[in-house]
Amino acid sequence: MNSSNPQRLPKHKTFVDTVMLLLAQLEKNTGERIDSSQVDSEQTTPHGSISVIKSKFEKLNNNNDTNETTNAKNKLSFPNAVIMAHQQHKHQLHKKYKSGELRNSSNNEINGQIPSKLQKNSFRNAVNVVNAVNGLKSPPPIPPRSKPPIGGIKPIIPPSPSVLKNNLSPTILNLPNSAPLSQHVLEDTDNPFDDSKGVDPFADDNELPLPLHDSTKTSTVIASSPSRPRRHSHTPAPSNVIKRNKLIADNLIDLTYNLQRSASQTVSSKPLRKPEILMPNSSRPLPKCHENDPPSLPPKPSNRPPAPALSNRPQLPPRKPNMEHHNEKKSKQAKVTKKVDDQADSDSLDDSSKKIPDASCTNRRPPKFHNIQDINSKNTTRTFAIAGEFLITGSGQTRIWSLENGSNVRSVPCDDSITSLCWRPTRRIEEVGRYIWCGAQDGYLYVVDIDCSKQIEKNKKAHNSPINFILRHQLQLWTLDDSGKLQIWSEDDSGVVSLNSKPKTVKVLSKPNCAIVVGHHLWLSYGKSIVIHNPLDDTHVAKIEVGPEVGNIRCMTQTDNSSLVYTGHDDGTIGVHDAQTHKTESTFTVSTYCINSLLGVGNYLWVGFKTGMIYIYDVQHSPWVVIKHWQAHKAPIIDMQLDNAGLWRVERLQVASLSDEGQIIVWDGLMHDDWIDDQMFDRENDYCTFRDVKVLICSWNIDASKPEDLERSPDGEHFLTNWIKSTESPDIIVFGFQEMINLESKKMTAKMLMTKKKNAKQLSENITQRYKLWHDKLVQVVGQNYEVLEKDNLVGLFTCIFAKKDEREHIRESDVALKKTGLKGYHGNKGSIATRFIYDDTSICFVNCHLAAGQLQTKERNTDAAKILDNTTFPSKAAKDKFIWRENEYVFTNGGDGSMVLDHEIVFFSGDLNYRINLSRNEVLEAIEKKDYKFLTDYDQLAIQRIKNPGFRLRQFLEGEIVFKPTYKYNPGEDEYDTSEKKRIPAWCDRILYRPKYLKSERHEGHDQRSENESNDNLDKKYCNVELDHYLRHECKISDHRPISGAFYIKTKKILEDKKDLVREEVEKAWKEKAKEELHKFTVRWLESCGWDEQIADKTLRENHRNLRKTVDQLSKRDEKGKRK
């Protein structure tokens, strides 16, 4: 496209501009001089002038058809030239008429008789317009003429605003009075590493802070639009593009005729009326226009909001701003930014820190039993119950499933679909898990004997609506139907809760979506309200409104702490309510997904999500701690049930989850495998030997520098050598570079995103060559005592890891994984390279990353870090071959198999993390001058997130004390911080974090207090497998970042298999003792549910050495004595 910058067109133009513009176009394209007498002789007849020029265009196009290769750039269709020129002319006429100038002018002026000087100026500017038009390639062909539209005339359908603004699209039209475009057009032959074309390698469009929620201040970024199909293209165009091009072509043909007709007529004295235009998506018919009306004008661009900004896309050159006003405005924005950041990162985090669970040490291994099969029901299942070795589902009939083999062993037919199930309460141990109550869609109640697989009782009169809930209260059963009818069934004279007895009827509100029994009260949820009843005396107790800030209630439950009730909401929040005062104590935001099920298991809260995930929270800590999470089902979870009697019946605490697809999986409520692993890790000293290994991590954002740039820099000649020698003789050297290529160059980004396949190879070779230059340079500097262990790259990232040759035999299972986070994961301008290996029997992972830039983009950086830690995957080491897996047993942590970053015992997370300092530039510079780095770290975004944000995924990582100046951003080649127009605030963007292995006792107890109150030195002593040697900044001025390094001593372990087996036996014995305590606790809970006092039941059970049958007999005799008295 023409890059010239012509003057703006004059305000006064007449129809002669059209003639002169077309004449200039012909002269430019044909290269021959046209006799002006041809035009002058017919000057008074515009139709004639148009005819002469049209014939020249036809001649030109005929020549181009015969020599298409050489003249393709000069080819311009006549209708396109006419519409371009006529729109320019007509727009000026309309402006003149509105200003009143046209009403006072003579007809001679209108017909083209204007002063010669003005005519020459018009001609000169017309040529400039033509030059801009010539920047476009060959115009689109005119498709066959379609049927005329409604209304008698064919409207001019302008292209969409995105097409008008996109200077890379061949369909662009030059609007009247618009400034010519001077944006450089990318060619396939351009070298992205050529700095001679004026590309600013230090541009950073993300740095200028903007006021929040002010879309008008955000620069509009141009979105590309599909171009018109070429004449000989074999790629079919989208249907909407074909329809639009056909409408435009029809109107261009008719415009030629209308232009000739209207040009010969005198402009009427009545005001010009802008006709309505029928847009492609409009169903409103066009009004009929008078035949003397001028041709239709393109409508002004609509006042739609600007398209959302996309990074690194070509933009129209902005107008030169008023710098005085701009600086004043920028100063105000900086003040607003500081206030917003300070409040967002301090106050808001303080308020919400206890409402976001701490997920820093979560375990992701599914707590499955090894001898239980999943249940896959082919029928629609909406309710189920579990007891011992059997599981019951309700659908068209009651089905009995065996957990041992997962098969449907028996079925009991019912008259209608089963909607609710509950085991009949009993004090007789032999009857536990034998009789089950079934509520049906038609309001019928059934009692089914599981042993003989038949109905033993039936009641068709108790309810008339679907029975949605059957709830247990001690030795009673409460049945609640959809109409709000509550029936209370108690024991009869024989001590059995029977359908033949007469229930007590209580009326409550209809259609509750959830119901549970809390103490002696019935809690019912309706949307965002909880209604509490006391059915025993038929009174309304209270009503709780959870408030508009949370979603509707989907489920409710209690843990062992009977004073609290937990509610799950469809917006991913959990409410905590006091069961005594009936007040909402707090609300925790645990997810953005709907919570479908809650279940209390001991002191833990199990949460089932719509995504099929299950999370386990320890709700005794503040903030809550995520103990475990895993993908339980592929479909949404709709219910979870606990087998309270499972421990003393089958020696398993069984938790079953039901998915929307009818799949039921039984989980280990005690999480046996996790407890064993925790104990084995805590006792590693009993079966492992250890040795120290020194690791040096070097990180640097090189800002697209090349190795030869070091030789031209005064401080770069010996920099790499000094960098490596910052610690003596490291065993592992890790180099992590960022911005190996110019990521801020829009040209470079466009090349990577829009390069054709045939040129992709050349681009890849250019980029690979840059990596090779640095690789060879590093190999040269490191020396012959080291060999390359792993190397890889991702767009601007480059990782190269060296190991001592005599240590290579101790390293195995090395892998590399890449993760893109730029453009929502589609572009690698931001992302990470993760490298892992097993050193002796210790798993280590190194992450080199580049997170989102910008002063205000803290949340984006947090999201990038979470994606890297959670979505980066390695090949799993949990092989099907048990022998291979045994070799890696106790090598990984957190229940992982080595397929994720946090499965490894030691993780280093380094690179350009881009976290900034929440202070003004002057305050930061003043603190740097005083070397008051402690003051600056108090406002460091990363430090704030680690201390105050429990949901921060880097919260479990540690960092050495920062005793050096911020590493960003410098003027390249200088020691002065950024003095450009943007004047970025200095910050510690470049960081090295590390996560050691946590002991079980240190994982969840007071982790938030440790992070805030203890120094890193104290933490290093507790987590003894990683010790920091140094954390330094280095000086090299070829980049706008300064390089950093961190040296560490890590303890690698070697597992002694014989001793490991002995320790495992001891741990298993300890588990049996723990299981007995858990059995005792759940047995006492069952006795309490049968109506006995908790303290008396606990004492009696211990006196009988946990013999349940003796305990029940003794408690029953005590009750009989009490009745006699």
Side-chain angles (χ1 to χ4, degrees), residues 517-519 556-566 579 600 1085:
V517 176
V518 179
M556 295 187 290
T557 194
Q558 281 188 293
T559 61
D560 282 354
N561 184 3
S562 59
S563 64
L564 297 176
V565 177
Y566 301 90
R1085 187 175 179 181

Side-chain angles (χ1 to χ4, degrees), residues 197-230:
K197 297 188 177 182
V199 179
D200 180 10
F202 310 108
D204 190 354
D205 293 332
N206 293 326
E207 295 300 324
L208 185 60
L210 295 174
L212 299 177
H213 310 295
D214 190 358
S215 60
T216 61
K217 305 298 182 184
T218 306
S219 58
T220 303
V221 179
I222 304 156
S224 62
S225 61
S227 60
R228 300 182 183 180
R230 296 172 181 255

Side-chain angles (χ1 to χ4, degrees), residues 1031-1070:
Y1031 191 26
L1032 302 174
R1033 148 187 160 144
H1034 302 267
E1035 300 304 321
C1036 186
K1037 303 174 185 177
I1038 65 174
S1039 171
D1040 56 349
H1041 289 249
R1042 292 294 185 263
I1044 60 173
S1045 67
F1048 303 87
Y1049 289 99
I1050 64 175
K1051 288 187 179 296
T1052 61
K1053 65 184 180 185
K1054 187 66 177 178
I1055 298 176
L1056 306 177
E1057 294 296 334
D1058 294 340
K1059 292 186 177 181
K1060 183 188 73 173
D1061 294 339
L1062 294 176
V1063 173
R1064 177 68 185 248
E1065 292 178 3
E1066 296 176 1
V1067 171
E1068 288 288 356
K1069 290 180 181 179

Side-chain angles (χ1 to χ4, degrees), residues 384-388 390-392 403 423 641-643 654-656 666:
F384 75 101
I386 182 174
F390 297 100
L391 189 143
I392 316 300
L403 294 178
W423 297 104
Q641 297 287 338
L642 172 65
D643 181 10
Q654 302 177 134
V655 178
V666 180

Side-chain angles (χ1 to χ4, degrees), residues 214-269:
D214 190 358
S215 60
T216 61
K217 305 298 182 184
T218 306
S219 58
T220 303
V221 179
I222 304 156
S224 62
S225 61
S227 60
R228 300 182 183 180
R230 296 172 181 255
R231 186 186 300 274
H232 301 293
S233 174
H234 297 282
T235 303
S239 58
N240 60 335
V241 177
I242 295 176
K243 293 177 181 180
R244 183 189 64 187
N245 290 342
K246 190 172 183 180
L247 286 170
I248 295 175
D250 289 342
N251 290 289
L252 287 174
I253 294 174
D254 289 340
L255 177 64
T256 305
Y257 170 75
N258 292 333
L259 178 62
Q260 295 171 357
R261 183 185 62 179
S262 61
S264 61
Q265 298 175 352
T266 303
V267 179
S268 174
S269 59

